[in-house]
Every structure is written in C-alpha cells, then in structure tokens.
Amino acid sequence: IAPNTRTYNQVLKCYATSKLPGSPQRADSILRYMLLSRNEEIQPDAISFCTCLDVWAKSKEPGKAEKSYELLQKLIKLYDVTMSERFKPSTMSYNTVLNCCA
C-alpha cells in the first residue's frame, strides 16, 4: 500500500491538533515534499494547503500571519497557473489566514 494525497493530508491534520513547538515547520516540510514530488499520487491539493494553514493558525509561533499569507499566495498562484479545481482556494482558505491574524 502506497501513501497518497489523502494519507499526507491526514498527517498534516495531526500536526494541526498537536501542541508541540515546531509543528507548523514540520507541516511546511511535508507540504514542500508533496510539491516537489514527481509522484502524481502525492501531489498536494487545496485541502493540503488549507490544513497547513490551519496548523499555522493554531500555533503560537511568531510570524504565523505572514507565513500563512505566503502559503495562501502559493495556492492562489498554483490555481492561476494550472486553473485546476484541485488548487482552487476556498473561503476556508481565506478565513484561516484571517484567523492567523487574530
């Protein structure tokens, strides 16, 4: 059994519920790995980005608002370039970034 996007999204979700310091950075590493992978089965989607945004929103890390905004910009750029529904930002994506600012 090989991992796929849903598998990686579940790992990202675990980091969203973690209270450990460094969880956002670990989630970012996973998302970056997914983006750089040539394996189509583990390419990220909007859920991957939104879950990573949620990790940042729930963290107490300094600079989380800026980092989440950068992630949202990556998602928007991917959508603009590919026009794929897979990368279409949702209202949840934008709301999660706003939560990071609160």
Side-chain angles (χ1 to χ4, degrees), residues 20-98:
L20 294 174
S23 291
Q25 291 84 358
R26 289 184 183 102
D28 276 351
S29 294
I30 291 170
L31 184 65
R32 189 172 27 259
Y33 175 79
M34 292 171 76
L35 284 165
L36 295 174
S37 175
R38 293 180 184 199
N39 182 348
E40 283 294 318
E41 296 295 314
I42 64 169
Q43 288 300 301
D45 56 15
I47 294 169
S48 309
F49 278 86
C50 201
T51 306
C52 204
L53 288 169
D54 191 40
V55 176
W56 279 102
K58 291 178 178 174
S59 79
K60 298 194 183 325
E61 300 282 335
K64 68 181 187 177
E66 293 85 1
K67 190 64 177 171
S68 64
Y69 181 73
E70 289 173 17
L71 276 175
L72 179 62
Q73 292 304 311
K74 280 185 188 178
L75 178 59
I76 292 169
K77 186 175 181 177
L78 277 170
Y79 179 67
D80 288 344
V81 169
T82 64
M83 294 307 289
S84 170
E85 289 294 311
R86 179 180 187 94
F87 297 115
K88 187 175 184 179
S90 65
T91 54
M92 188 189 303
S93 306
Y94 293 98
N95 287 338
T96 305
V97 172
L98 290 175

Coordinates of all heavy atoms in Angstrom, one line a residue, residues 20-98:
L20 N 2.8 20.7 20.1 CA 4.2 20.7 20.1 C 4.8 21.9 19.3 O 4.3 22.2 18.2 CB 4.8 19.4 19.5 CG 4.5 18.1 20.3 CD1 5.0 16.9 19.5 CD2 5.1 18.2 21.7
P21 N 5.8 22.5 19.9 CA 6.5 23.6 19.1 C 7.1 23.0 17.9 O 7.6 21.9 17.9 CB 7.6 24.1 20.1 CG 7.4 23.4 21.4 CD 6.4 22.3 21.2
G22 N 7.1 23.8 16.8 CA 7.7 23.3 15.6 C 6.7 22.6 14.6 O 7.1 22.2 13.5
S23 N 5.5 22.4 15.1 CA 4.5 21.7 14.3 C 4.3 22.4 12.9 O 4.2 21.7 11.9 CB 3.2 21.5 15.0 OG 3.4 20.6 16.1
P24 N 4.2 23.7 12.9 CA 4.0 24.4 11.6 C 5.1 24.2 10.6 O 4.9 24.0 9.5 CB 3.8 25.9 12.0 CG 3.5 25.9 13.4 CD 4.1 24.7 14.0
Q25 N 6.4 24.2 11.2 CA 7.5 24.0 10.3 C 7.5 22.6 9.8 O 7.9 22.3 8.6 CB 8.8 24.3 11.1 CG 9.0 25.7 11.4 CD 8.3 26.2 12.7 OE1 7.6 25.4 13.3 NE2 8.4 27.5 13.0
R26 N 7.1 21.6 10.6 CA 7.1 20.2 10.1 C 6.0 20.0 9.1 O 6.2 19.3 8.1 CB 6.8 19.3 11.3 CG 8.0 19.2 12.2 CD 7.8 18.2 13.3 NE 8.9 18.1 14.2 CZ 8.9 18.7 15.4 NH1 7.9 19.4 15.8 NH2 10.0 18.6 16.2
A27 N 4.9 20.7 9.3 CA 3.8 20.6 8.3 C 4.3 21.3 7.0 O 4.0 20.8 5.9 CB 2.5 21.3 8.8
D28 N 5.0 22.4 7.1 CA 5.5 23.0 5.9 C 6.5 22.1 5.1 O 6.5 22.1 3.9 CB 6.3 24.3 6.2 CG 5.4 25.5 6.4 OD1 4.2 25.4 6.0 OD2 5.9 26.6 6.8
S29 N 7.3 21.4 5.9 CA 8.2 20.4 5.2 C 7.5 19.4 4.5 O 7.9 19.0 3.4 CB 9.1 19.8 6.3 OG 9.9 20.7 6.9
I30 N 6.4 18.9 5.0 CA 5.6 17.8 4.3 C 5.0 18.4 3.1 O 5.0 17.8 2.0 CB 4.5 17.2 5.3 CG1 5.2 16.4 6.4 CG2 3.5 16.4 4.5 CD1 4.3 16.0 7.5
L31 N 4.4 19.6 3.2 CA 3.8 20.3 2.0 C 4.8 20.5 0.9 O 4.6 20.2 -0.2 CB 3.1 21.6 2.4 CG 2.3 22.3 1.3 CD1 1.2 21.4 0.8 CD2 1.9 23.6 1.8
R32 N 6.0 21.0 1.3 CA 7.1 21.2 0.4 C 7.5 19.9 -0.3 O 7.7 19.8 -1.5 CB 8.3 21.8 1.1 CG 9.4 22.3 0.2 CD 10.5 23.1 0.9 NE 10.7 22.8 2.3 CZ 10.2 23.6 3.3 NH1 9.5 24.6 3.1 NH2 10.5 23.2 4.5
Y33 N 7.6 18.8 0.5 CA 7.9 17.5 -0.1 C 6.8 17.1 -1.1 O 7.2 16.6 -2.2 CB 8.0 16.4 1.0 CG 8.2 15.0 0.5 CD1 9.5 14.6 0.1 CD2 7.1 14.2 0.4 CE1 9.7 13.3 -0.4 CE2 7.3 12.9 -0.1 CZ 8.6 12.5 -0.5 OH 8.8 11.2 -1.0
M34 N 5.6 17.3 -0.8 CA 4.5 16.9 -1.7 C 4.6 17.8 -3.0 O 4.4 17.2 -4.1 CB 3.1 17.2 -1.0 CG 2.8 16.3 0.1 SD 1.4 16.7 1.0 CE 0.1 16.2 -0.1
L35 N 4.9 19.0 -2.9 CA 5.0 19.9 -4.0 C 6.2 19.5 -4.9 O 6.1 19.6 -6.2 CB 5.2 21.4 -3.6 CG 4.0 22.1 -3.1 CD1 4.3 23.4 -2.4 CD2 3.0 22.4 -4.3
L36 N 7.3 19.1 -4.3 CA 8.5 18.7 -5.1 C 8.5 17.3 -5.7 O 9.2 17.0 -6.5 CB 9.7 19.0 -4.3 CG 10.0 20.4 -3.9 CD1 11.2 20.5 -2.9 CD2 10.2 21.3 -5.1
S37 N 7.6 16.5 -5.2 CA 7.5 15.1 -5.6 C 7.0 15.0 -7.0 O 6.2 15.7 -7.5 CB 6.5 14.3 -4.7 OG 6.4 13.0 -5.2
R38 N 7.6 14.1 -7.7 CA 7.2 13.8 -9.1 C 6.1 12.7 -9.1 O 5.6 12.4 -10.2 CB 8.4 13.3 -9.9 CG 9.4 14.5 -10.1 CD 10.5 14.1 -10.9 NE 11.5 15.2 -10.9 CZ 12.4 15.3 -11.8 NH1 12.5 14.4 -12.7 NH2 13.2 16.3 -11.8
N39 N 5.8 12.2 -8.0 CA 4.7 11.2 -7.8 C 3.3 11.9 -7.8 O 3.0 12.6 -6.9 CB 4.9 10.4 -6.5 CG 3.9 9.3 -6.4 OD1 2.9 9.2 -7.1 ND2 4.2 8.4 -5.4
E40 N 2.6 11.6 -8.9 CA 1.2 12.2 -9.0 C 0.3 11.8 -7.8 O -0.6 12.6 -7.5 CB 0.6 11.8 -10.3 CG 1.1 12.6 -11.5 CD 0.8 14.0 -11.5 OE1 -0.3 14.4 -11.2 OE2 1.7 14.8 -11.8
E41 N 0.6 10.7 -7.3 CA -0.3 10.2 -6.2 C -0.2 11.0 -4.9 O -1.1 10.9 -4.1 CB 0.0 8.7 -5.9 CG -0.3 7.8 -7.0 CD -1.8 7.8 -7.4 OE1 -2.6 7.7 -6.4 OE2 -2.1 7.8 -8.6
I42 N 0.9 11.8 -4.7 CA 1.0 12.5 -3.5 C 1.1 14.1 -3.7 O 1.5 14.8 -2.9 CB 2.2 12.1 -2.7 CG1 3.6 12.3 -3.4 CG2 2.1 10.6 -2.3 CD1 4.8 12.1 -2.5
Q43 N 0.7 14.5 -4.9 CA 0.7 15.9 -5.2 C -0.4 16.6 -4.2 O -1.4 16.0 -4.0 CB 0.3 16.2 -6.6 CG 1.4 15.9 -7.6 CD 2.6 16.6 -7.3 OE1 2.6 17.9 -7.4 NE2 3.7 15.9 -7.1
P44 N 0.0 17.7 -3.7 CA -0.9 18.4 -2.8 C -2.2 18.9 -3.5 O -2.2 19.0 -4.7 CB -0.1 19.5 -2.2 CG 0.9 19.9 -3.2 CD 1.2 18.5 -3.9
D45 N -3.2 19.3 -2.7 CA -4.4 19.9 -3.2 C -4.7 21.0 -2.3 O -4.0 21.4 -1.4 CB -5.5 18.9 -3.3 CG -5.8 18.1 -2.1 OD1 -5.4 18.6 -1.0 OD2 -6.5 17.1 -2.1
A46 N -5.9 21.7 -2.5 CA -6.3 22.8 -1.7 C -6.5 22.4 -0.3 O -6.2 23.2 0.7 CB -7.6 23.4 -2.3
I47 N -6.9 21.1 0.0 CA -7.0 20.6 1.3 C -5.7 20.6 2.0 O -5.6 20.9 3.2 CB -7.7 19.3 1.3 CG1 -9.2 19.4 0.8 CG2 -7.7 18.6 2.7 CD1 -9.9 18.1 0.5
S48 N -4.7 20.2 1.3 CA -3.3 20.1 1.9 C -2.9 21.5 2.3 O -2.4 21.7 3.5 CB -2.3 19.6 0.8 OG -2.7 18.4 0.2
F49 N -3.1 22.5 1.5 CA -2.7 23.9 1.8 C -3.6 24.4 3.0 O -3.0 25.0 3.9 CB -2.9 24.8 0.6 CG -1.7 24.8 -0.3 CD1 -1.7 23.8 -1.3 CD2 -0.7 25.7 -0.2 CE1 -0.6 23.8 -2.2 CE2 0.4 25.7 -1.1 CZ 0.4 24.7 -2.1
C50 N -4.9 24.1 2.9 CA -5.8 24.6 4.0 C -5.4 24.0 5.3 O -5.5 24.7 6.4 CB -7.2 24.4 3.6 SG -8.3 25.4 4.5
T51 N -5.1 22.7 5.3 CA -4.7 22.1 6.6 C -3.4 22.6 7.1 O -3.3 22.9 8.3 CB -4.6 20.5 6.3 OG1 -5.8 20.1 5.8 CG2 -4.3 19.8 7.6
C52 N -2.5 22.9 6.2 CA -1.2 23.5 6.6 C -1.5 24.9 7.2 O -0.9 25.3 8.2 CB -0.2 23.6 5.4 SG 1.5 23.6 5.9
L53 N -2.4 25.7 6.6 CA -2.8 27.0 7.1 C -3.4 26.8 8.5 O -3.1 27.7 9.4 CB -3.8 27.6 6.1 CG -3.3 28.2 4.8 CD1 -4.4 28.5 3.9 CD2 -2.3 29.3 5.0
D54 N -4.1 25.8 8.7 CA -4.7 25.6 10.0 C -3.7 25.3 11.0 O -3.8 25.7 12.2 CB -5.7 24.4 9.9 CG -6.6 24.3 11.1 OD1 -7.1 25.3 11.7 OD2 -6.9 23.1 11.5
V55 N -2.6 24.6 10.7 CA -1.5 24.3 11.6 C -0.9 25.6 12.1 O -0.7 25.8 13.3 CB -0.4 23.4 11.0 CG1 0.7 23.2 11.9 CG2 -1.0 22.1 10.6
W56 N -0.7 26.5 11.1 CA -0.2 27.8 11.5 C -1.2 28.6 12.3 O -0.8 29.3 13.3 CB 0.2 28.6 10.2 CG 1.5 28.2 9.7 CD1 1.7 27.4 8.6 CD2 2.8 28.6 10.2 NE1 3.1 27.3 8.4 CE2 3.8 28.0 9.4 CE3 3.2 29.4 11.3 CZ2 5.1 28.1 9.6 CZ3 4.6 29.5 11.5 CH2 5.5 28.9 10.7
A57 N -2.4 28.6 12.0 CA -3.4 29.3 12.8 C -3.5 28.9 14.2 O -3.7 29.7 15.1 CB -4.8 29.2 12.1
K58 N -3.3 27.6 14.4 CA -3.5 27.1 15.8 C -2.2 27.2 16.6 O -2.1 26.9 17.8 CB -3.9 25.6 15.7 CG -5.4 25.5 15.3 CD -5.8 24.1 15.2 CE -7.3 24.0 14.7 NZ -7.7 22.7 14.5
S59 N -1.1 27.6 15.9 CA 0.2 27.7 16.6 C 0.4 29.0 17.4 O -0.4 29.9 17.2 CB 1.3 27.5 15.6 OG 1.6 28.7 14.9
K60 N 1.4 29.0 18.2 CA 1.7 30.2 18.9 C 3.1 30.8 18.3 O 3.7 31.6 19.0 CB 1.9 30.0 20.4 CG 0.5 29.5 21.0 CD 0.6 29.6 22.5 CE -0.7 29.0 23.1 NZ -1.9 29.3 22.5
E61 N 3.4 30.4 17.1 CA 4.7 30.7 16.5 C 4.6 32.2 16.1 O 3.6 32.7 15.6 CB 4.9 29.9 15.3 CG 5.0 28.4 15.5 CD 6.4 28.0 16.1 OE1 7.4 28.7 15.9 OE2 6.4 27.0 16.8
P62 N 5.7 32.9 16.3 CA 5.8 34.3 15.8 C 5.8 34.3 14.3 O 6.4 33.4 13.7 CB 7.1 34.9 16.4 CG 7.9 33.6 16.8 CD 6.9 32.5 17.0
G63 N 5.2 35.3 13.7 CA 5.2 35.4 12.3 C 4.2 34.5 11.6 O 4.3 34.3 10.3
K64 N 3.3 33.9 12.3 CA 2.4 33.0 11.7 C 1.4 33.6 10.7 O 1.1 33.0 9.7 CB 1.6 32.2 12.8 CG 0.6 33.1 13.5 CD -0.2 32.2 14.6 CE -1.3 33.0 15.3 NZ -2.0 32.1 16.2
A65 N 1.1 34.9 10.9 CA 0.2 35.6 9.9 C 0.9 35.8 8.6 O 0.3 35.5 7.5 CB -0.2 37.0 10.5
E66 N 2.2 36.2 8.6 CA 3.0 36.3 7.4 C 3.2 35.0 6.7 O 3.0 34.9 5.5 CB 4.3 37.0 7.7 CG 4.3 38.4 8.2 CD 4.1 38.5 9.7 OE1 4.0 37.5 10.4 OE2 3.9 39.6 10.2
K67 N 3.5 34.0 7.5 CA 3.7 32.7 6.9 C 2.4 32.1 6.2 O 2.5 31.6 5.1 CB 4.2 31.7 7.9 CG 4.7 30.4 7.4 CD 5.9 30.6 6.5 CE 6.4 29.3 6.0 NZ 7.5 29.4 5.0
S68 N 1.3 32.3 6.9 CA 0.1 31.8 6.3 C -0.3 32.5 5.1 O -0.8 32.0 4.1 CB -1.1 31.8 7.4 OG -1.4 33.1 7.7
Y69 N 0.0 33.8 5.1 CA -0.3 34.6 3.9 C 0.5 34.2 2.7 O 0.0 34.1 1.6 CB -0.1 36.1 4.1 CG -0.3 37.0 3.0 CD1 -1.7 37.3 2.6 CD2 0.7 37.6 2.2 CE1 -1.9 38.1 1.5 CE2 0.4 38.4 1.2 CZ -0.9 38.6 0.8 OH -1.1 39.4 -0.3
E70 N 1.8 33.8 3.0 CA 2.7 33.3 1.9 C 2.1 32.0 1.3 O 2.2 31.8 0.1 CB 4.1 33.1 2.4 CG 4.9 34.3 2.7 CD 6.2 34.0 3.4 OE1 6.7 32.8 3.4 OE2 6.8 35.0 4.0
L71 N 1.7 31.1 2.2 CA 1.1 29.8 1.8 C -0.2 30.1 0.9 O -0.3 29.4 -0.1 CB 0.7 29.0 3.0 CG 1.8 28.1 3.6 CD1 1.3 27.4 4.9 CD2 2.3 27.1 2.6
L72 N -1.0 31.0 1.3 CA -2.2 31.3 0.6 C -1.8 31.8 -0.8 O -2.4 31.5 -1.8 CB -3.1 32.3 1.3 CG -4.3 32.7 0.5 CD1 -5.3 31.6 0.3 CD2 -5.1 33.8 1.3
Q73 N -0.8 32.7 -0.9 CA -0.3 33.2 -2.2 C 0.2 32.1 -3.1 O 0.0 32.1 -4.3 CB 0.8 34.3 -1.9 CG 0.3 35.5 -1.3 CD -0.9 36.2 -2.1 OE1 -0.8 36.3 -3.3 NE2 -1.9 36.5 -1.4
K74 N 0.9 31.1 -2.5 CA 1.3 29.9 -3.3 C 0.2 29.2 -3.9 O 0.2 28.8 -5.0 CB 2.2 29.0 -2.4 CG 3.6 29.4 -2.2 CD 4.3 28.3 -1.4 CE 5.7 28.7 -1.0 NZ 6.4 27.7 -0.2
L75 N -0.9 29.0 -3.0 CA -2.1 28.3 -3.5 C -2.8 29.1 -4.6 O -3.1 28.5 -5.7 CB -3.0 28.1 -2.3 CG -4.4 27.4 -2.6 CD1 -4.1 26.0 -3.2 CD2 -5.2 27.3 -1.4
I76 N -2.9 30.4 -4.5 CA -3.5 31.2 -5.5 C -2.7 31.1 -6.8 O -3.3 31.0 -7.9 CB -3.7 32.6 -5.0 CG1 -4.7 32.7 -3.9 CG2 -4.0 33.6 -6.1 CD1 -4.7 34.0 -3.1
K77 N -1.4 31.2 -6.7 CA -0.5 31.1 -7.9 C -0.7 29.8 -8.6 O -0.8 29.7 -9.8 CB 0.9 31.4 -7.5 CG 1.9 31.5 -8.7 CD 3.3 31.8 -8.2 CE 4.1 31.9 -9.5 NZ 5.5 32.4 -9.1
L78 N -0.7 28.7 -7.8 CA -0.9 27.4 -8.4 C -2.2 27.3 -9.1 O -2.3 26.7 -10.2 CB -0.8 26.3 -7.3 CG 0.5 25.8 -6.9 CD1 0.4 24.9 -5.7 CD2 1.2 25.0 -8.1
Y79 N -3.2 27.9 -8.5 CA -4.5 27.9 -9.2 C -4.5 28.7 -10.5 O -5.0 28.3 -11.5 CB -5.6 28.4 -8.3 CG -7.0 28.4 -8.9 CD1 -7.6 27.2 -9.3 CD2 -7.6 29.6 -9.2 CE1 -8.9 27.2 -9.9 CE2 -8.9 29.6 -9.8 CZ -9.5 28.4 -10.1 OH -10.7 28.5 -10.8
D80 N -3.9 29.9 -10.4 CA -3.8 30.8 -11.6 C -3.0 30.1 -12.7 O -3.4 30.3 -13.9 CB -3.2 32.1 -11.2 CG -4.1 33.0 -10.4 OD1 -5.3 32.7 -10.3 OD2 -3.5 33.9 -9.8
V81 N -2.0 29.4 -12.4 CA -1.2 28.8 -13.4 C -1.8 27.5 -14.0 O -1.8 27.3 -15.2 CB 0.2 28.4 -12.8 CG1 1.0 27.5 -13.8 CG2 1.0 29.7 -12.5
T82 N -2.4 26.7 -13.2 CA -3.0 25.4 -13.6 C -4.5 25.5 -14.0 O -4.9 24.7 -14.7 CB -2.8 24.4 -12.6 OG1 -3.6 24.7 -11.4 CG2 -1.3 24.2 -12.2
M83 N -5.2 26.5 -13.4 CA -6.6 26.6 -13.5 C -7.3 25.2 -13.1 O -8.4 24.9 -13.6 CB -7.1 27.0 -14.9 CG -6.6 28.4 -15.2 SD -7.1 29.7 -14.0 CE -8.8 29.7 -14.2
S84 N -6.6 24.5 -12.2 CA -7.2 23.2 -11.8 C -8.0 23.4 -10.5 O -7.6 24.1 -9.6 CB -6.0 22.3 -11.5 OG -6.5 21.1 -10.9
E85 N -9.2 22.8 -10.5 CA -10.0 22.8 -9.3 C -9.3 22.3 -8.1 O -9.6 22.6 -7.0 CB -11.3 22.0 -9.6 CG -12.2 22.7 -10.5 CD -12.8 24.0 -10.0 OE1 -13.3 24.1 -8.9 OE2 -12.7 25.0 -10.8
R86 N -8.3 21.4 -8.3 CA -7.5 20.8 -7.3 C -6.9 21.9 -6.4 O -6.6 21.7 -5.2 CB -6.4 20.0 -7.9 CG -5.5 19.3 -6.9 CD -4.5 18.4 -7.7 NE -3.7 17.6 -6.8 CZ -4.0 16.4 -6.4 NH1 -5.0 15.8 -6.9 NH2 -3.2 15.8 -5.5
F87 N -6.5 23.1 -7.0 CA -5.9 24.1 -6.3 C -6.7 25.4 -6.0 O -6.2 26.4 -5.6 CB -4.6 24.6 -7.0 CG -3.6 23.5 -7.2 CD1 -3.3 23.0 -8.4 CD2 -3.0 22.9 -6.0 CE1 -2.3 21.9 -8.5 CE2 -2.0 21.9 -6.2 CZ -1.7 21.4 -7.4
K88 N -8.0 25.2 -6.2 CA -8.9 26.4 -6.1 C -9.0 26.8 -4.6 O -9.5 26.0 -3.8 CB -10.2 26.1 -6.7 CG -11.1 27.3 -6.7 CD -12.4 27.1 -7.5 CE -13.2 28.3 -7.5 NZ -14.5 28.1 -8.3
P89 N -8.6 28.0 -4.2 CA -8.8 28.4 -2.8 C -10.3 28.5 -2.5 O -11.1 28.9 -3.3 CB -8.1 29.7 -2.8 CG -7.3 29.9 -4.0 CD -7.9 29.0 -5.0
S90 N -10.6 28.1 -1.3 CA -11.9 28.2 -0.8 C -12.1 29.4 0.2 O -11.1 30.0 0.7 CB -12.3 26.9 -0.1 OG -11.6 26.7 1.0
T91 N -13.3 29.6 0.6 CA -13.5 30.6 1.7 C -12.8 30.2 3.0 O -12.3 31.1 3.7 CB -15.0 30.9 1.9 OG1 -15.6 29.7 2.2 CG2 -15.7 31.5 0.8
M92 N -12.7 28.9 3.2 CA -12.0 28.4 4.4 C -10.5 28.8 4.3 O -9.9 29.1 5.3 CB -12.1 26.9 4.5 CG -11.6 26.4 5.8 SD -11.5 24.6 6.0 CE -13.1 24.1 5.7
S93 N -9.9 28.8 3.1 CA -8.5 29.2 3.0 C -8.3 30.6 3.5 O -7.4 30.9 4.2 CB -8.1 29.0 1.5 OG -8.3 27.8 1.0
Y94 N -9.2 31.5 3.0 CA -9.1 32.9 3.3 C -9.4 33.1 4.8 O -8.7 33.9 5.5 CB -10.0 33.7 2.4 CG -9.6 33.8 1.0 CD1 -10.1 32.9 0.1 CD2 -8.6 34.6 0.6 CE1 -9.7 32.9 -1.3 CE2 -8.1 34.6 -0.8 CZ -8.7 33.8 -1.7 OH -8.3 33.8 -3.0
N95 N -10.4 32.4 5.3 CA -10.8 32.6 6.7 C -9.7 32.1 7.7 O -9.5 32.7 8.7 CB -12.1 31.9 7.0 CG -13.3 32.6 6.4 OD1 -13.2 33.8 6.2 ND2 -14.4 31.9 6.2
T96 N -9.0 31.1 7.3 CA -7.9 30.5 8.1 C -6.8 31.5 8.2 O -6.2 31.7 9.2 CB -7.4 29.2 7.6 OG1 -8.6 28.3 7.5 CG2 -6.4 28.5 8.5
V97 N -6.5 32.2 7.1 CA -5.4 33.2 7.1 C -5.9 34.3 8.0 O -5.1 34.9 8.8 CB -5.1 33.7 5.7 CG1 -4.2 34.9 5.7 CG2 -4.5 32.6 4.9
L98 N -7.1 34.7 7.9 CA -7.6 35.8 8.8 C -7.5 35.4 10.3 O -7.2 36.2 11.1 CB -9.1 36.2 8.5 CG -9.2 36.9 7.1 CD1 -10.7 37.1 6.8 CD2 -8.5 38.2 7.1

